Amino acid sequence: MLHMTAGEKVFQFFLILFITLMSVAMLYPFIHLLSVSLSTPAEAIRPGLHVYPLEFSLEAYNKTFASSQIWIGFKNTIFRTVAGTFLALFMMALTAYPLSKKYLPHRSFYTLFIVFTMFFSGGLIPSYLLIKGIGLINSVWVYVIPVMIQTFSLLVMRNFFMEIPSELEDSAKMDGAGDFRILLSIILPLSKPIMATVGLWQAVNHWNAWFDGMLYIQDPSKMVLQMFLRKLIVSGEEQEMNAIMNQAPGVEIVTPETIKAATLMVATLPILIVYPFIQKYFVKGIMVGSLKG
């Protein structure tokens, strides 16, 4: 700041002000929900800004965690997120590695063929008929198998692999290593930034997804947490709300507002907790993976 001109200082001031206002605008809904979820019913329905609970209560969380539907949704969502992220990374690495090699025959054709699917798809009805034809209707694997390959993530991973010096692979081949051994022992250990970046994308997508569950799942025991949230909040179904509010009866009462806020916080916090552990890889992975075409 000491070496800036007057114009640069003015620009820096408004830039910081703009970023601060944007941060507040994005953080306030989260803070509001947290405050409402920790408030008594009377405080939760109070009009105005909710920054912190004036009357503290954990009853909404007690009733939320006492609901069996929450735990069923958690179990299926965790399975979907863990299995879906791992299989997606594995399958995309197997696809991106050969596409990153210039000596692959017809590499441009294969790449264009894959890119085509990013802009055009068969549509909802053909997709449903395909899922039904391969027997994934009402199966938990419908959350994982159809989305193992994400075109954009695949291309970013391929571009990152192209930046790895080919001399490392040549030396490994001289020692007798095959392509699969090179991928597992050399390429993937050097690709932690892009694997963490793509893994974060996949984990967030799986954790927040609900539309495929609405289309293909009828068994309540196989529904993910986001499907339950949609029924609770968007559809406004009283059956799910009453099922929670009638759990674990106690002295305190709860309202639909506190239950919704507590349920949203329970569904949001786990994926937020994961981000700080891979944030250091995120910027490097996305920058390097997007440079080379």
Side-chain angles (χ1 to χ4, degrees), residues 201-219:
W201 291 344
Q202 297 302 313
V204 171
N205 288 338
H206 278 292
W207 189 271
N208 292 330
W210 59 271
F211 188 65
D212 49 0
M214 184 183 70
L215 291 177
Y216 308 125
I217 300 296
Q218 293 86 38
D219 187 352

Side-chain angles (χ1 to χ4, degrees), residues 32 38 56 58 68 102 119 156 196 231 248 252 256 266 291:
H32 173 82
L38 294 172
F56 186 81
L58 289 174
S68 61
K102 295 182 180 179
F119 301 102
V156 173
K231 295 172 66 176
E252 293 187 73
V266 168
L291 292 179

Side-chain angles (χ1 to χ4, degrees), residues 64-240:
T64 297
F65 283 117
S67 171
S68 61
Q69 294 171 311
I70 290 290
W71 294 109
I72 291 173
F74 254 123
K75 180 192 69 174
N76 294 327
T77 301
I78 291 173
F79 165 79
R80 171 179 189 160
T81 303
V82 174
T85 301
F86 175 79
L87 290 176
L89 288 175
F90 181 72
M91 294 301 295
M92 284 192 285
L94 290 181
T95 308
Y97 178 61
L99 288 176
S100 66
K101 302 305 168 189
K102 295 182 180 179
Y103 55 79
L104 176 69
H106 311 295
R107 183 181 73 148
S108 298
F109 170 77
Y110 295 137
T111 303
L112 290 175
F113 187 80
I114 293 173
V115 171
F116 181 84
T117 65
M118 188 166 61
F119 301 102
F120 302 96
S121 65
L124 183 59
I125 295 177
S127 298
Y128 183 86
L129 295 176
L130 174 63
I131 298 299
K132 182 179 180 180
I134 60 179
L136 290 180
I137 294 294
N138 213 32
S139 168
V140 293
W141 290 104
V142 77
Y143 297 132
V144 176
I145 295 177
V147 292
M148 283 194 296
I149 300 293
Q150 298 290 331
T151 305
F152 178 76
S153 299
L154 172 64
L155 295 177
V156 173
M157 190 178 294
R158 184 206 69 151
N159 294 345
F160 190 95
F161 289 167
M162 292 172 66
E163 295 291 329
I164 298 177
S166 59
E167 290 78 9
L168 295 175
E169 301 178 48
D170 295 337
S171 62
K173 289 180 179 179
M174 293 178 63
D175 293 334
D179 290 329
F180 195 72
R181 177 65 179 274
I182 293 173
L183 175 63
L184 293 180
S185 301
I186 298 177
I187 302 300
L188 293 184
L190 293 175
S191 303
K192 289 181 181 178
I194 197 61
M195 300 300 287
T197 301
V198 174
L200 177 63
W201 291 344
Q202 297 302 313
V204 171
N205 288 338
H206 278 292
W207 189 271
N208 292 330
W210 59 271
F211 188 65
D212 49 0
M214 184 183 70
L215 291 177
Y216 308 125
I217 300 296
Q218 293 86 38
D219 187 352
S221 65
K222 298 177 181 178
M223 289 185 178
V224 292
L225 184 60
Q226 304 301 332
M227 271 297 298
F228 172 69
L229 286 178
R230 181 183 179 276
K231 295 172 66 176
L232 179 65
I233 298 172
V234 178
S235 299
E237 295 188 10
E238 296 184 0
Q239 183 178 358
E240 285 76 13

Side-chain angles (χ1 to χ4, degrees), residues 26-41 43-44 46 49-61 64-65 257-270 272-273:
M26 289 185 288
L27 285 174
Y28 174 70
F30 182 82
I31 296 173
H32 173 82
L33 282 176
L34 180 61
S35 176
V36 170
S37 68
L38 294 172
S39 299
T40 60
E43 170 63 16
R46 175 181 60 83
L49 300 176
H50 289 257
V51 179
Y52 59 92
L54 298 178
E55 298 176 5
F56 186 81
S57 174
L58 289 174
E59 190 63 21
Y61 286 97
T64 297
F65 283 117
E257 287 74 18
T258 55
I259 288 292
K260 290 178 181 180
T263 308
L264 282 170
M265 293 303 302
V266 168
T268 305
L269 282 177
L272 290 179
I273 294 174

